[in-house]
Amino acid sequence: MKKTLLACALLTSLAATSAQAATLVGFKVGGDIWQADTNGTFAQGGQTQQDFDYGSSTQGSLWVAVEHPIPLVPNVKIRENRLDADGQGTLVAPWIFGEHTFSPGSISTATNLSNTDFVLYYELLDNDLVALDLGAAYKRMHGSYRVADAGHPEQKDLSSGVVMAYANAEVGLPGLGLYGFADVMLGVDETSVYDYSVGLGWHFDGVALDTKIRVGYRDFTFDVNGFDGITANSQFKGAFAGVELVF
């Protein structure tokens, strides 16, 4: 009997600890599919920027966030952004890229601006009417600019990052689950780099988790001078749809 009571007490204690941990730490996991139009120019240092004609392409983002109530310790969000597009251009004069001089004529590019966002933020407001997060982020690039003519490819990799200010805001209609949102990242050391999205979402309460469905518009602009030896003004912009699970 004593062993049974002890086992029951232990199970009750573990359940209480688990429930308390669940109230202390929250997790968010989500993803977006983005139909983006791409445009832009680029060159390696010292060369005239070349304009390329890009088509529309499907991009994507995945993220996870951990939130807690510990004072002064920021919450953490990591978001992986897949951004790549193919384009065509025409040279009117010799153009150096990498270790090759491209002759006048048709060239192609595979522009990859994939990156990972590491975000630290604080929840300043969190209620049914208004939610506001503020913090800082580091956008680490891990893509490349690739150029090729009929017989020779050259590639310049991107591996540096951009320090950015971060803000996320939501304004909701209590009882309806409908909300508007804005998610903004602005470059600090690269002031012409920004990544923002705006749109509408629907919040569905569940027993074990909540679900958010989102639609909106996103714009990522990468306007840099001498970034890993590249000068560029590239942009991905267009409509997206996604879902987020809140534990």
Side-chain angles (χ1 to χ4, degrees), residues 80 113-118 138-143 158-162 227:
E80 177 67 23
L113 295 185
S114 296
N115 59 84
T116 305
D117 296 323
F118 300 93
Y138 182 73
K139 183 181 285 289
R140 189 180 190 286
M141 307 299 296
H142 52 78
L158 302 175
S159 59
S160 298
V162 181
F227 189 95

Side-chain angles (χ1 to χ4, degrees), residues 202-247:
W202 292 264
H203 190 153
F204 302 94
D205 293 329
V207 177
L209 56 86
D210 296 341
T211 303
K212 289 183 175 181
I213 297 176
R214 311 153 16 106
V215 294
Y217 175 87
R218 183 174 176 184
D219 182 342
F220 171 56
T221 294
F222 186 69
D223 186 356
V224 295
N225 187 3
F227 189 95
D228 284 339
I230 291 289
T231 297
N233 186 0
S234 301
Q235 183 181 45
F236 288 76
K237 60 181 181 179
F240 72 88
V243 62
E244 182 177 74
L245 303 178
V246 183
F247 298 86

Side-chain angles (χ1 to χ4, degrees), residues 143-168:
S144 62
Y145 285 99
R146 180 180 175 87
V147 177
D149 57 15
H152 192 97
E154 286 286 338
Q155 179 171 308
K156 298 282 287 185
D157 293 329
L158 302 175
S159 59
S160 298
V162 181
V163 178
M164 312 189 81
Y166 171 80
N168 179 276

Side-chain angles (χ1 to χ4, degrees), residues 6 160 186:
L6 181 60
S160 298
L186 299 175

Side-chain angles (χ1 to χ4, degrees), residues 38-214:
T38 308
N39 62 76
T41 62
F42 68 86
Q44 72 179 33
Q47 297 293 302
T48 302
Q49 291 195 57
Q50 172 65 35
D51 190 12
F52 289 90
D53 182 22
Y54 297 90
S56 178
S57 54
T58 301
Q59 315 298 334
S61 294
L62 295 172
W63 67 87
V64 59
V66 180
E67 297 183 343
H68 58 82
I70 303 174
L72 302 181
V73 178
N75 301 302
V76 179
K77 178 178 180 180
I78 300 175
R79 181 174 65 174
E80 177 67 23
N81 306 292
R82 177 70 177 180
L83 301 173
D84 60 78
D86 296 331
Q88 302 291 327
T90 301
L91 295 175
V92 295
W95 191 65
I96 300 173
F97 192 80
E99 299 180 355
H100 182 70
T101 300
F102 290 89
S103 300
S106 297
I107 57 173
S108 62
T109 179
T111 296
N112 185 340
L113 295 185
S114 296
N115 59 84
T116 305
D117 296 323
F118 300 93
V119 186
L120 300 177
Y121 66 96
Y122 295 95
E123 286 186 304
L124 301 186
L125 296 171
D126 186 15
N127 55 62
D128 291 339
L129 287 175
V130 181
L132 177 63
D133 300 337
L134 293 178
Y138 182 73
K139 183 181 285 289
R140 189 180 190 286
M141 307 299 296
H142 52 78
S144 62
Y145 285 99
R146 180 180 175 87
V147 177
D149 57 15
H152 192 97
E154 286 286 338
Q155 179 171 308
K156 298 282 287 185
D157 293 329
L158 302 175
S159 59
S160 298
V162 181
V163 178
M164 312 189 81
Y166 171 80
N168 179 276
E170 294 183 4
V171 178
L173 295 176
L176 297 180
L178 179 66
Y179 64 94
F181 67 88
D183 190 274
V184 181
M185 298 175 65
L186 299 175
V188 176
D189 55 342
E190 294 284 354
T191 56
S192 296
V193 175
Y194 58 83
D195 189 349
Y196 75 85
S197 57
V198 294
L200 295 174
W202 292 264
H203 190 153
F204 302 94
D205 293 329
V207 177
L209 56 86
D210 296 341
T211 303
K212 289 183 175 181
I213 297 176
R214 311 153 16 106

Side-chain angles (χ1 to χ4, degrees), residues 15-27 67 69 208 247:
T17 301
S18 177
Q20 183 181 20
T23 61
L24 290 177
V25 180
F27 298 91
E67 297 183 343
F247 298 86

